[in-house]
Amino acid sequence: MKSYDPFDFPRPIGLGVATAPTQIEGFETQNSWYDWAKIPGKIADGSTPSVADRHWTDFRENIELMDQMGIRYYRLGLEWSRIEPEEGHFDKSALDRYREELKLLSERGIRPLVTLHHFSNPSWFERRGAFLSDGATEVFLRYVRYIVSEISDLCDEYITINEPNVYAVNGYLYGIWPPGEKSLSKALRVMNRLAICHLQAVLAIREIYKDRPVQIGYANHFRIFHSSSGRTGLQARLIRYLFQDGLTRFMTTGRPSFPFGTFSGMKPGTYCDFVGVNYYTRSKMKGFRELPVPASKPRNDLGWEIYPDGIRLLANKYHDLYGLPVWITENGTADRDDRFRSEYLYDHLREIALHCPSVERYYHWTFIDNFEWAEGETARFGLVANHFQTQERTIRKSGQFYSGIIRNNGASAELISEYIIPWTNKQNI
Ligand code: BGC
């Protein structure tokens, strides 16, 4: 029988929330995701990111809610297509709007961690072949230099690129995201190019900050890969290397290993100030095939296994490998009816509190229900529920639980008895 002991965080930890611009802002139609969502059949419910949570106009209301919940760390993204709507032309009004948001965060004492690229590209960049096109690194760096120079007085923490592996695999290998290609060699080339963009962006940002402190990393999607036997077999190891380990080594140290980064010309060094870990689930493999998660296991609304041990295994592994602090840049679950999110939070945060001394930050994915890429508005990851038609926002019970954890620096017996219902009382899991 599982026990629910109270716990405290024995070391300081920043507990926050994460979002991405395409998923919440709305009112932007000149990017790859809006173009993709308009193609019939690409998004589960036929929705597009054109309205989402109206965060572009309603950001004050959302930040007010964050403040009410006691959230003091916020990972937010900037939409490249707004900032550079035409190649080489920067839109001052978009910059001003982002500056306003960053200023409001600072007034409320909420520390921003800014993501520069989170899956979506300006339509003009996508049309020219995105990261596979000639000169793509320079084009990306021009955007990075512009925006970072313009906000460096309001922010000193950055994620260069979100999940280069997922962007490459979904868009170029499985073809389920833009641009819908199915080619392993292209997927590997895209990962390589994104890695080089990250490495160069780190140098560019450090140059902008000169002697001022700045923390930079990227957010990788890390999974646990187990063979069906529960161990990590040969094929699972190969997939793990191609999907996450080889890329992480290159992007963290500038040292390439086949098939990444050969002839990149990058000098070995430290290209991350923290290891950014986005963690959701474990993949059980039979050979090279991923097995469905049996109904007897805890699963979320998308059928992803809930496997809290994974957060400990990954955080400790990457800390030991690179000697850097770990920031959990995303962790969360799709739970439309909020039946198990509180328990999910409890289990993952407990692992961190008791077993992961290197974890300095934890950003829950996500603050508010959003446009969940190919799943559209069907998958609900928010601590805050949003009714997309009326835009009515309600803090879920799990949001109240997280808020309690932040205020108590841990999960007290009172919080546990108020918010956690044991798995055994739940149905359909
Ligand atoms: C992405 C988010 C996404 C989340 C849940 C991560 O891969 O960075 O944008 O919404 O997973 O699917």
Side-chain angles (χ1 to χ4, degrees), residues 17-25 28 31-34 49 74-83 98 113-122 125-126 131 140 143-144 147 158-168 170 177-178 194 197 217-221 276-280 304 328-331 363-368 370-374 381:
V17 288
T19 64
T22 316
Q23 296 182 269
I24 61 166
E25 287 179 353
E28 166 58 8
N31 66 44
S32 52
W33 265 93
Y34 181 75
Y74 177 33
R75 176 183 167 208
L76 70 156
L78 307 182
E79 188 72 273
W80 180 7
S81 62
R82 286 186 192 282
I83 295 164
Y98 280 125
L113 165 62
V114 168
T115 307
L116 300 172
H117 186 274
H118 196 129
F119 297 153
S120 74
N121 296 320
F125 183 66
E126 191 74 11
F131 289 96
F140 179 69
Y143 152 68
V144 170
I147 191 65
Y158 295 92
I159 299 277
T160 54
I161 293 172
N162 182 68
E163 298 190 349
N165 52 357
V166 170
Y167 172 94
N170 283 354
W177 284 11
L194 289 171
C197 282
Y218 75 100
N220 214 349
H221 183 101
V277 175
N278 290 1
Y279 172 67
Y280 289 89
W304 303 357
I328 305 296
T329 36
E330 286 181 29
N331 172 242
Y363 293 88
H364 191 76
W365 186 270
T366 183
F367 173 60
I368 185 165
N370 61 19
F371 173 79
E372 177 50 42
W373 311 115
F381 280 81

Side-chain angles (χ1 to χ4, degrees), residues 218-374:
Y218 75 100
N220 214 349
H221 183 101
F222 288 115
R223 297 170 97 87
I224 296 289
F225 289 98
H226 280 161
S227 301
S228 42
S229 64
R231 287 198 299 275
T232 312
L234 196 62
Q235 287 99 333
R237 252 183 263 173
L238 179 63
I239 291 182
R240 186 177 67 191
Y241 175 76
L242 288 176
F243 185 72
Q244 59 200 34
D245 286 355
L247 193 64
T248 303
R249 176 184 145 98
F250 184 35
M251 292 178 77
T252 308
T253 65
R255 288 176 196 276
S257 51
F258 182 80
F260 300 102
T262 334
F263 311 122
S264 70
M266 295 304 302
K267 274 203 201 135
T270 304
Y271 289 89
C272 287
D273 299 305
F274 53 86
V275 184
V277 175
N278 290 1
Y279 172 67
Y280 289 89
T281 191
R282 154 167 85 163
S283 292
K284 280 268 188 96
M285 312 296 294
K286 192 164 177 61
F288 290 111
R289 199 164 50 85
E290 185 168 353
L291 298 170
V293 180
S296 57
K297 295 265 183 200
R299 297 182 300 177
N300 76 6
D301 292 353
L302 296 172
W304 303 357
E305 184 183 357
I306 298 178
Y307 183 65
D309 287 353
I311 206 162
R312 177 191 77 242
L313 296 170
L314 292 167
N316 292 342
K317 167 179 168 173
Y318 291 102
H319 170 70
D320 291 349
L321 269 175
Y322 299 110
L324 293 168
V326 173
W327 291 12
I328 305 296
T329 36
E330 286 181 29
N331 172 242
T333 195
D335 177 13
R336 170 176 283 270
D337 300 323
D338 207 34
R339 286 174 302 139
F340 49 85
R341 188 179 289 100
S342 294
E343 180 157 1
Y344 181 101
L345 273 162
Y346 171 87
D347 287 339
H348 287 77
L349 290 175
R350 187 170 179 272
E351 286 298 321
I352 292 173
L354 301 191
H355 306 296
C356 304
S358 61
V359 173
E360 290 181 344
R361 299 275 177 89
Y362 171 91
Y363 293 88
H364 191 76
W365 186 270
T366 183
F367 173 60
I368 185 165
D369 290 343
N370 61 19
F371 173 79
E372 177 50 42
W373 311 115

Side-chain angles (χ1 to χ4, degrees), residues 50-119:
S50 61
V51 176
D53 298 295
R54 303 177 67 103
H55 183 79
W56 188 247
T57 50
D58 295 5
F59 66 97
R60 287 180 202 81
E61 190 177 334
N62 285 334
I63 293 173
E64 177 64 39
L65 272 179
M66 269 178 217
D67 195 17
Q68 264 178 39
M69 291 167 74
I71 291 164
R72 291 291 164 260
Y73 293 85
Y74 177 33
R75 176 183 167 208
L76 70 156
L78 307 182
E79 188 72 273
W80 180 7
S81 62
R82 286 186 192 282
I83 295 164
E84 190 176 356
E86 285 172 54
E87 180 160 8
H89 294 284
F90 296 100
D91 180 353
K92 175 86 168 48
S93 63
L95 168 68
D96 289 345
R97 153 65 186 75
Y98 280 125
R99 284 189 59 85
E100 219 185 309
E101 183 170 358
L102 290 169
K103 278 186 196 151
L104 181 60
L105 290 170
S106 140
E107 275 162 39
R108 296 302 171 102
I110 301 175
R111 194 174 174 82
L113 165 62
V114 168
T115 307
L116 300 172
H117 186 274
H118 196 129
F119 297 153

